[in-house]
Amino acid sequence: MKTAACLQEIYNRAEAMIDNLDIGLACLAALEAALIQQGAPPTPVIAAIRRYLEDVRADADRVARLTMKSPQP
């Protein structure tokens, strides 16, 4: 039973991370749009941050999926 509770907690935390990363990506997109609207060209820094956030989100999604596929004792 303890293993199932631990797996559920890992899943819950991964889902919370995904939600927070989605918010971060939306904020980054809004920042980029505002900068472009003010005439600034897209910056490599914003692109790098976006790639990093997307990679971390993909990893959190994998953790959530693998956790739910784990055999329950």
Side-chain angles (χ1 to χ4, degrees):
M1 183 65 172
K2 186 174 182 176
T3 301
C6 288
L7 289 173
Q8 185 63 48
E9 182 61 24
I10 291 168
Y11 176 82
N12 292 344
R13 288 180 185 217
E15 285 294 314
M17 284 177 60
I18 290 168
D19 291 344
N20 289 333
L21 289 163
D22 285 344
I23 291 168
L25 285 164
C27 291
L28 187 62
L31 173 64
E32 185 176 31
L35 290 171
I36 291 170
Q37 191 174 36
Q38 292 180 4
T43 65
V45 171
I46 289 179
I49 293 169
R50 183 185 313 103
R51 279 192 308 274
Y52 173 77
L53 292 175
E54 288 170 345
D55 287 348
V56 173
R57 190 199 183 286
D59 290 342
D61 187 56
R62 272 188 228 104
V63 167
R65 282 187 282 120
L66 289 172
T67 301
M68 295 316 292
K69 288 182 181 179
S70 294
Q72 303 295 322

